[in-house]
């Protein structure tokens, strides 16, 4: 296994060429920072995660977190507690949050790059930070000042972690089926009773307090998602002076034995076994789902990023292995010598597929993070609105495509290792096992596809998707001007875009007439949309790299590699779009009328 090395050349390429960090630094909340400071912070963070967090990845997988059924305490793997203390001491978790609550006041984009670094170092470890950031985000937007003052400062530093409690045995994808009860006590507090399952870092030994955000129903709440409220339920109640008070009536009664992310405790949480846990309402009753939706774009982007991260880690391992392992004779190699497997065309195909997909994922994730910053902070309301539309449209793409690719790329890493890839000691199976949950949680990828087709395409009567496709089309003249070297990128992108535009019209037309027809093709449609989005960003990368080469700026070898990788993506992966037309437009009968249970 290779030691984790943060891929700063590519990270900085995207920051310098596909997004505009300088523009973000001109927005009011970010005026105190500049692009050089951002790079320095990222490099320092990269050093920290590779030295402190990455070495715990394998041992964390082997050891896992352990639940004690007598005390209901959870012990994280050796070294986690100490590493987390260092993470808190350095203040890494607070970098993208409001300075008023002790954060660093950096753009979300910077927070996202930092998430990539920590997640690539150690997915399981990163999840406590990820969930805490999601909880902070929700509180910042919706909690009243009193609650914010009590909870946010310690959550922003990371001294207290946060959790998101949505799922129950009967309420998974269908969050509206939540049954956990919240009964008002007349003193502003509520008594919470119920069981939540699959709660990430619901209990652990890394911090003195855990702040649970819990979805529950008040007694007269309307059914479904309209009757869900959101509560803060701390593990330890907090006294007025900020010190910790009594233990709340919440316990982790068991943890799951999972195929991956074993160091991240996935907890069954029982609320109210002793009469009711004390909860504090966030915002207003019955608005919990709305509040969840405001943080969902960020949370889904963070999970998409997990797909990128786990793929990057697997690629670093596979590349090193392919440059060390000798087997067979590559075409043209001298007789009597065995070649590095790196020299075999099929292994190069796998490595290039991994590399190109990773670069495309990174571009999508960072561009989406920039969209979030601009939607939140640009002084012009029209631009804010436009970027918010892009955020809404691209959220299912970032979440679903990047996590699907996380699984595919980690599987390719196993293939490159051959038989050793199937052997746990090689360390590679862990990446695949860790990746497999990502298409499932934070809204399964099937739900993401339904969201794209059912909610996002109809935005503004199809106007939002129309604008997005026009934006891609606007790249064409620059690609033509770039000449022969980029002509394959240009023709493939143009063809794929036409196919996507025609198919989008089909989905919009048929979605209104027969939603089942559109939903039947939702997943292949999401794949098609993602490929074109990725192809567009790879084309922009190639144009930027060519610009650097022509101007004699940047590292010439790296710039040429960016062009070559973009060509590989657009000429060899992007044409898959054509094969997706049939499954998208097959219609309802092709799926619903086939008797699946007759076999
Ligand atoms: C390791 C792990 C960590 C987790 N962390 C958390 C956490 O911190 N907090 C939390 O609240 N939850 C968490 N979850 C729960 C996770 O979000 C759910 O597992 C997920 O939302 C899917 O719900 P489900 O498991 O009930 O599957 P189901 O909803 O039963 O889905 C089963 C299958 O049916 C499909 N399906 C369901 N409904 C539809 C529909 N309407 N249309 C089309 N297809 C549909 C799904 O796509 C899926 O393929 C975690 C889960 C795991 C395994």
């Amino acid at each position: 296994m290779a030691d984790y090395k943060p891929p700063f050349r590519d990270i900085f390429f995207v920051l310098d060429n596909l997004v505009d960090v300088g523009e973000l630094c001109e927005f009011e909340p970010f005026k105190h920072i500049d692009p050089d400071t951002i790079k320095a912070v990222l490099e320092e963070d990269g050093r920290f995660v590779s030295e402190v967090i990455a070495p715990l990845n394998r041992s964390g997988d082997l050891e896992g977190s352990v639940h004690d059924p007598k005390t209901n305490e959870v012990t994280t793997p050796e070294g986690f507690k100490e590493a987390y203390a260092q993470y808190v001491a350095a203040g890494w978790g607070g970098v993208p949050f409001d300075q008023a609550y002790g954060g660093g006041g950096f753009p979300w984009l910077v927070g996202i790059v930092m998430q990539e670094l920590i997640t690539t170092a150690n997915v399981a470890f990163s999840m406590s930070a990820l969930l805490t950031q999601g909880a902070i985000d929700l509180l910042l937007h919706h909690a009243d000042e009193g609650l914010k003052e009590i909870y946010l400062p310690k959550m922003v530093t990371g001294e207290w972690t946060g959790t998101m409690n949505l799922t129950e045995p009967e309420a998974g994808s269908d969050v509206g089926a939540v049954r956990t009860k919240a009964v008002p006590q007349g003193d502003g507090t509520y008594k919470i009773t119920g069981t939540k399952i699959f709660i990430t870092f619901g209990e652990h030994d890394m911090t003195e307090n855990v702040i649970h955000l819990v979805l529950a129903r008040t007694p007269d709440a309307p059914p479904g998602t309209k009757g869900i409220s959101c509560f803060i339920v701390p593990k330890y109640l907090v006294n007025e002076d900020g010190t910790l008070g009594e233990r709340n009536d919440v316990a982790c009664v068991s943890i799951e034995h999972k195929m991956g992310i074993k160091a991240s405790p996935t907890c069954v949480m029982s609320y109210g076994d002793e009469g009711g846990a004390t909860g504090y309402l966030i915002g207003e009753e019955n608005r919990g789902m709305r509040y969840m939706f405001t943080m969902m774009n960020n949370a889904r982007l963070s999970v998409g990023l997990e797909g990128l991260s786990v793929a990057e880690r697997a690629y670093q391992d596979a590349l090193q292995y392919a440059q060390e392992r000798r087997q067979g004779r590559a075409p043209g190699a001298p007789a009597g010598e065995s070649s590095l497997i790196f020299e075999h065309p099929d292994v190069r195909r796998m490595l290039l597929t991994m590399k190109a997909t990773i670069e495309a994922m990174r571009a999508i994730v960072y561009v989406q993070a920039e969209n979030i910053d601009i939607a939140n902070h640009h002084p012009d309301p029209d631009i804010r609105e436009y970027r918010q539309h892009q955020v809404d449209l691209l959220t299912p793409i970032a979440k679903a495509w990047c996590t699907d690719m996380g699984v595919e790329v980690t599987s390719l890493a196993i293939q490159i290792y051959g038989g050793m890839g199937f052997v746990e000691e090689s360390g590679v199976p862990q990446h695949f096992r860790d990746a497999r949950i990502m298409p499932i949680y934070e809204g399964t990828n099937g739900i993401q596809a339904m969201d794209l087709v059912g909610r996002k395409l109809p935005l503004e009567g199809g106007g939002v998707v129309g604008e997005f496709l026009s934006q891609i089309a606007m790249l064409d003249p620059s690609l033509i001007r770039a000449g022969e070297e980029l002509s394959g990128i240009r023709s493939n992108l143009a063809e794929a875009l036409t196919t996507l535009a025609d198919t989008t019209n089909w989905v919009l037309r048929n979605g209104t007439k027969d939603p089942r027809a559109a939903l039947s093709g939702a997943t292949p449609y999401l794949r098609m949309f993602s490929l074109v989005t990725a192809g567009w960003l790879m084309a922009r990368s190639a144009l930027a790299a060519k610009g650097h080469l022509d101007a004699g700026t940047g590292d010439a070898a790296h710039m040429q590699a960016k062009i070559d990788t973009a060509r590989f993506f657009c000429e060899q992966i992007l044409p898959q779009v054509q094969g997706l037309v049939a499954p998208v437009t097959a219609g309802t009968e092709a799926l619903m009328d086939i008797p699946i249970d007759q076999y």
Side-chain angles (χ1 to χ4, degrees), residues 127 131 162-175 196-202 213 215 256 258 260-261 264-267 437 439-448 450 519:
M127 292 185 70
L131 269 296
T163 68
M164 305 300 286
N165 290 239
L166 287 75
T167 309
E168 297 178 8
E170 303 306 324
S173 300
D174 182 10
V175 184
K196 295 285 179 181
I197 61 169
F198 293 147
I199 305 309
T200 298
F201 274 92
L213 300 195
L215 293 189
E256 307 298 343
K258 314 188 294 288
I261 53 165
S264 165
T266 304
C267 305
I437 180 58
I440 296 172
Y441 58 26
E442 198 49 53
T444 66
N445 286 359
I447 299 289
Q448 302 301 322
M450 288 166 57
L519 291 178

Side-chain angles (χ1 to χ4, degrees), residues 210-226:
V210 182
I211 311 305
H212 304 290
L213 300 195
V214 180
L215 293 189
R217 287 182 185 287
T218 52
D220 304 322
T225 50
K226 291 199 171 87

Side-chain angles (χ1 to χ4, degrees), residues 8 11-13 15-16 21 34-45 106 110:
F8 278 124
I11 289 174
F12 290 157
F13 179 89
L15 292 183
D16 288 339
V21 176
D34 56 63
D36 287 342
T37 311
I38 288 175
K39 284 189 179 169
V41 167
L42 292 175
E43 280 172 336
E44 188 51 37
D45 186 36
F106 278 60
V110 179

Side-chain angles (χ1 to χ4, degrees), residues 552-570:
T553 51
D555 171 345
H558 181 222
M559 295 306 147
Q560 191 58 52
K562 288 297 294 184
I563 294 174
D564 295 342
T565 311
R567 283 190 58 181
F568 177 82
F569 190 92
C570 291

